[in-house]
Amino acid sequence: MATNRLKEILDSKKMSFSELKKLLEEKDVKVNNSQLSLYSSGKRNPKNKKIWVIISEVLNVELQEIITDINAYLTIMAEISENSSEKKEEIENKKIDEELFQELFSLIDKSKASELEKVHRYCGLAATFEKLGEDITKEGAVIDVPSGDYMVKKTNPAISEQVRVNAALIKLDEWFELKRQSNNGDNPKSGEDWSEFT
């Protein structure tokens, strides 16, 4: 941190690093006195910038009172906002995964292990498909691959893997669609061979 008033604020409150450390431990933040000293002197920054927010909370002061450098303050707030967005997205994804599982689970005969396995397999493949999509977006459709002394451009292998996973999902989708029809009273064609889905 370029500048901060941590030591000054502690002195004004007649608090030591040890007392601050205890308050932080109550918030599940593990730091030692030497780390706090380095933070206050600006010689080191916490890896997790949210520590500054927690310090301001336990000292009952605004973050801006501790972090006086505007650029440092904005950096902290940007990182916290980014982490918060990632956490929110993670929670949303878990909710969607759970809803998908429950939807598919409601279609099957719970007494059959093979049908339960299909639900788990579908959910696993769906998660893999999403992860591959994220990787493709991040790395691009074409990537640089070392070849001897040169770098050559090749199609991202995650694309072909995503196509393969998608084919498996489509196949399982057909099986679940037959289950949906069956549960809605639309019986599949008599003599339908379901072995290809197992």
Side-chain angles (χ1 to χ4, degrees):
M1 215 44 60
T3 58
N4 70 73
R5 297 178 57 242
L6 178 57
K7 185 72 172 76
E8 186 183 330
I9 290 168
L10 287 174
D11 289 344
S12 71
K13 292 178 176 286
K14 296 181 172 46
M15 283 180 68
S16 65
F17 287 131
S18 294
E19 289 169 311
L20 175 58
K21 175 177 167 283
K22 284 178 186 173
L23 290 173
L24 291 172
E25 283 173 352
E26 290 173 13
K27 298 277 189 178
D28 293 323
V29 175
K30 306 289 183 209
V31 288
N32 57 44
N33 291 354
S34 61
Q35 284 175 302
L36 290 172
S37 176
L38 289 168
Y39 297 162
S40 71
S41 66
K43 291 178 182 173
R44 184 185 288 179
N45 298 320
K47 286 180 184 174
N48 182 352
K49 302 295 187 293
K50 193 175 180 186
I51 287 176
W52 284 114
V53 176
I54 298 169
I55 288 172
S56 71
E57 286 173 4
V58 299
L59 293 178
N60 200 27
V61 296
E62 293 294 323
L63 181 59
Q64 299 94 310
E65 291 179 55
I66 300 175
I67 308 300
T68 54
D69 180 82
I70 185 65
N71 291 325
Y73 174 79
L74 292 173
T75 299
I76 290 169
M77 296 312 291
E79 184 175 313
I80 291 167
S81 174
E82 187 178 313
N83 289 344
S84 175
S85 297
E86 286 173 5
K87 195 73 177 168
K88 187 177 178 185
E89 187 178 344
E90 188 181 318
I91 290 166
E92 283 299 313
N93 287 341
K94 280 185 181 174
K95 186 179 172 189
I96 290 167
D97 291 346
E98 179 62 25
E99 287 172 357
L100 174 63
F101 179 86
Q102 291 301 332
E103 178 191 337
L104 299 179
F105 188 70
S106 70
L107 297 174
I108 66 166
D109 180 345
K110 281 81 173 168
S111 66
K112 294 183 178 175
S114 63
E115 295 197 5
L116 182 58
E117 187 275 334
K118 283 182 179 63
V119 172
H120 285 290
R121 190 181 346 151
Y122 190 98
C123 290
L125 285 166
T128 301
F129 185 87
E130 289 299 319
K131 178 70 174 71
L132 287 165
E134 288 169 15
D135 291 344
I136 293 164
T137 301
K138 184 179 172 183
E139 296 171 9
V142 177
I143 58 172
D144 292 321
V145 179
S147 176
D149 296 334
Y150 303 98
M151 295 294 280
V152 294
K153 294 196 176 295
K154 288 195 173 179
T155 303
N156 190 331
I159 295 172
S160 60
E161 185 61 18
Q162 194 182 44
V163 169
R164 188 189 68 76
V165 170
N166 190 47
L169 280 168
I170 290 169
K171 201 73 173 165
L172 277 170
D173 251 336
E174 292 172 10
W175 186 84
F176 282 112
E177 187 52 38
L178 288 171
K179 279 299 221 180
R180 283 185 190 93
Q181 291 172 15
S182 175
N183 290 348
N184 289 335
D186 302 333
N187 289 326
K189 299 171 203 162
S190 62
E192 183 86 51
D193 181 10
W194 288 34
S195 63
E196 63 178 301
F197 303 113
T198 59

